[in-house]
Amino acid sequence: MIGFGYDIHRLAEGETLILGGIEIPSSFGTVAHSDGDVLIHALCDALLGAAGLGDIGEHFPDTDPRYRGISSIKLLRQVVGLLQGEGYTIVNIDCTLVLERPKILPYKAAMRSCIAEACGIALQRVSIKATTSEKLGFVGAGEGVEAYAICQLTYDGTP
Ligand code: MG
């Protein structure tokens, strides 16, 4: 099974920037009910999508005070647990972050380790890519950050 996920968050001065489970030094960050980890949100949606299990908003509604400021890695762990319980195994994950700044390259290895650990899979099964939008549109203006994720699952039979 293949799954796809997308997410977007606004960026604002004075907020914390957490991407792929890693806090990135920055004067601005994502505006969100949770920790605003757009990459992990896209990944959760890809995983849920591959298993036909809905989306992150259904499982962790932003109206629920339990999820205020919550680490998105915790949500990812819950999604992975749900998939395992249903009999799914993650084969691989491929993600793309789109933001103008800061440069993501110095943090990619840490993000990759964090995601691999949370998903219980080998490092080489997790790919993280980053690009800018060439100063075009709202991402190019530094007003937001986008993330895309795709994953493959296998189904091991009756859970
Ligand atoms: Mg989100």
Side-chain angles (χ1 to χ4, degrees):
M1 278 69 70
I2 305 289
F4 171 75
Y6 168 80
D7 196 24
I8 178 170
H9 279 270
R10 275 197 304 125
L11 291 170
E13 284 294 327
E15 301 284 347
T16 306
L17 185 63
I18 297 175
L19 296 171
I22 303 301
E23 185 169 340
I24 296 173
S26 170
S27 65
F28 56 87
T30 47
V31 179
H33 182 262
S34 68
D35 66 358
D37 193 331
V38 67
L39 178 56
I40 300 300
H41 295 175
L43 175 56
C44 285
D45 264 1
L47 293 167
L48 289 168
L53 289 172
D55 64 38
I56 191 172
E58 291 172 40
H59 289 272
F60 313 108
D62 64 7
T63 49
D64 189 331
R66 282 182 300 166
Y67 304 122
R68 180 170 294 279
I70 195 170
S71 161
S72 296
I73 289 291
K74 281 189 186 165
L75 304 183
L76 175 60
R77 286 185 203 281
Q78 286 190 44
V79 168
V80 170
L82 183 67
L83 295 189
Q84 287 170 345
E86 295 280 333
Y88 293 99
T89 301
I90 302 170
V91 177
N92 75 303
I93 286 164
D94 186 20
C95 309
T96 298
L97 265 172
V98 190
L99 80 170
E100 213 58 31
R101 64 188 172 94
K103 287 288 168 216
I104 295 304
L105 184 60
Y107 309 102
K108 275 163 75 175
M111 290 179 189
R112 196 178 179 207
S113 299
C114 184
I115 290 171
E117 195 274 329
C119 292
I121 57 176
L123 210 54
Q124 53 272 36
R125 291 176 178 266
V126 178
S127 157
I128 297 173
K129 310 181 301 298
T131 185
T132 70
S133 69
E134 296 285 335
K135 297 194 163 39
L136 295 169
F138 62 87
V139 171
E143 294 169 2
V145 51
E146 290 180 301
Y148 301 84
I150 191 165
C151 68
Q152 186 176 4
L153 307 183
T154 54
Y155 184 58
D156 306 327
T158 310

